[in-house]
Amino acid sequence: MNSPSTPDVVRSEDPNAAQHLQVKIAAAEKLQATMKAANVIVRDRRLSDDEKVARLVAECGQRESSARQLLKPDFGGRIGFPDYQLTNNGANIRRMQQRLKGLAQESGRGSATLPFAGGRVEDNAEACRVRIYHDAKPPADTIAKLRSYGFHWTPSLRCWQRLRNDWARSAATQITGVQWPSASPAATAWPSVSTVNTVAAGQALRTGVAA
């Protein structure tokens, strides 16, 4: 679970999206390290169960009840954190890191409006949307293409739009033929390491791992 200030779902248009992702990454990395360390202890045949519990509490921040649960074999006879849990968590870390990289790249790109025959395309940084405006209703095949590329009709704006990212700009190019100017990454103000670690520790507490 997340802290009250970190949403379960981080939306790209959230001005604090990068900070939220950093907190989530730090929490997931802390959990990954804890699970690996715990498995080393749990699978050490030289230790008694009481010794394993004591070390899990002292070294891995586990509550005693959680530590003893790790010593109980699952349906497959495995003890500790299962391999699939580490694999899934590791994949999630890499996914969030890639998304954070994408957000950093987006932060360096300002808004732009590009004309094409019969309309214009807006890359709106403030709204975090790529919008396609037509001077007249486009033909059915164009509408089908817009939908196939993930654009949705917005009656209030009288445009087709989707979430702003490289895929959206590429799709707009495929549909309208516009060519986008390159953007230089801007410096991003990330939260301090101490802030990220403090919030990540709070998240870890709610997974059965103490800070």
Side-chain angles (χ1 to χ4, degrees), residues 20 33 45 140 183 187:
H20 292 324
R45 297 183 179 181

Side-chain angles (χ1 to χ4, degrees), residues 35-87:
M35 290 191 294
K36 289 180 178 180
N39 279 354
V40 171
I41 295 171
V42 167
R43 295 166 185 174
D44 190 339
R45 297 183 179 181
R46 298 168 299 178
L47 301 175
S48 68
D49 283 357
D50 286 341
E51 289 173 327
K52 291 177 181 180
V53 169
R55 288 187 59 180
L56 287 168
V57 171
E59 299 174 25
C60 299
Q62 292 286 316
R63 298 184 178 91
E64 183 175 347
S65 59
S66 300
R68 293 196 179 279
Q69 191 65 33
L70 288 174
L71 302 181
K72 296 180 181 180
D74 64 9
F75 63 91
R78 298 163 296 193
I79 59 175
F81 291 99
D83 291 341
Y84 73 82
Q85 191 170 346
L86 280 89
T87 299

